[in-house]
Amino acid sequence: MYSPFCRSINIIESVNKMKERTLISMKWIFEIVLIIIVSFMYYLNKPINSPKVIYIPQGSINKIITHLSDKNYNVSKLDSLLLRVIGSPQSGWINIGTTHSTRGDFLYKLTTAKAALQEITLIPGETTYIFLDELAKNLKLNRTVLQKEYDLQALHVEGVLVPNTYYLPIGITEKMIIKILLAESLNQMKNFSIKLFGNYNEKKWFHFVTVASIIQKESASIEEMSLVSSVIYNRLKKNMKLQMDGTLNYGKYSHVKVSPQRIREDKSTYNTYVNKGLPSSPVCNVSFDAIRAAIFPAKTEYLYFMKSNNGTHDFSRNYSTHLSNIKRVTKRNKN
């Protein structure tokens, strides 16, 4: 009877030792896991300094981390593993939104931040030449390459861009920016043409754009556009030269005051003091208000208009009244 009792004691002691070893093992595992978690949290909360806008190249996560490391963004190979869990970074220029981030926030924003956009506005009446200057300056693009791409992609010398505010990704190539602007503009033009005519006829449309470009340059307000349009069509019907300064504000001359010398020396088709009819292409990029005025001119007999001292125009049917308007403005200016 004694022997079984001893064995029972040994079994109990063995079980207790096993439980003790298990508890010790669990304690060690817990401590190791806790250390790993604390170390991981510490790692994720380490600061990373970067510009608000950064460039992410196309390629594998390892390539992206190598690129960021080369830019001294304090990332490591461990971040490659973390990104595989968080998600793949998007390529291109992205807006991080801050120059100081924790590592965790930085890695998360690499996968979720929106593209960094630059706001560019093309105002009605501006020429493509001047607009390309602004694009090159504001987006740090090559002006020569921009012009080359425009010449290759645009179907017309002028008037193919719709005045608007565009939001373009920073770091975009010259080829892509022209492609985007032309595609968006053509889509807007087609929609407007279909709304008015039920279809889009390129030749017909750009005839109106050419007329609209003169209206855009000459009008003091949207309200005047249909009146200026009527003068253009009335003069064309009578085979009169348009003789409008605005047609000479083409290309790089967009904001240059037209002088008598310029009128004498300019040999382009834009010189409506020398040439009859419309210029061979639009003078500038135009608003839909100007296009509408070109399509629907006011019904008048006006052949002349003169800018008054208050900034608007005085319209007249005959030359004598036009001369009187000129004298009145000149007299006021002298006084």
Side-chain angles (χ1 to χ4, degrees), residues 240-258:
M240 297 172 65
K241 294 176 182 176
L242 295 182
Q243 295 181 317
M244 296 184 180
D245 286 2
T247 61
L248 285 167
N249 290 130
Y250 63 89
K252 64 182 179 180
Y253 303 108
S254 182
H255 304 289
V256 177
K257 186 176 181 180
V258 177

Side-chain angles (χ1 to χ4, degrees), residues 138-185:
N138 295 332
L139 296 181
K140 296 180 174 56
L141 299 171
N142 185 303
R143 177 63 176 79
T144 302
V145 176
L146 264 180
Q147 187 67 59
K148 180 181 178 181
E149 286 298 334
Y150 179 83
D151 294 341
L152 286 172
Q153 297 185 47
L155 298 177
H156 298 269
V157 175
E158 187 64 89
V160 293
L161 300 176
V162 173
N164 209 337
T165 296
Y166 297 91
Y167 296 90
L168 303 166
I170 293 175
I172 191 172
T173 64
E174 289 83 358
K175 181 177 181 178
M176 283 305 299
I177 195 171
I178 295 300
K179 184 177 181 179
I180 290 172
L181 291 173
L182 289 175
E184 288 193 14
S185 294

Side-chain angles (χ1 to χ4, degrees), residues 17 63 89 136 145-146 172 206 232 282 286 295:
K17 287 181 180 180
K63 179 181 177 181
V145 176
L146 264 180
I172 191 172
F206 276 92
I232 293 172
V286 301
I295 298 171

Side-chain angles (χ1 to χ4, degrees), residues 220-236:
S221 65
I222 294 174
E223 291 71 26
E224 282 191 355
M225 285 182 172
S226 62
L227 295 175
V228 173
S229 180
S230 72
V231 173
I232 293 172
Y233 286 116
N234 289 341
R235 293 180 74 90
L236 290 174

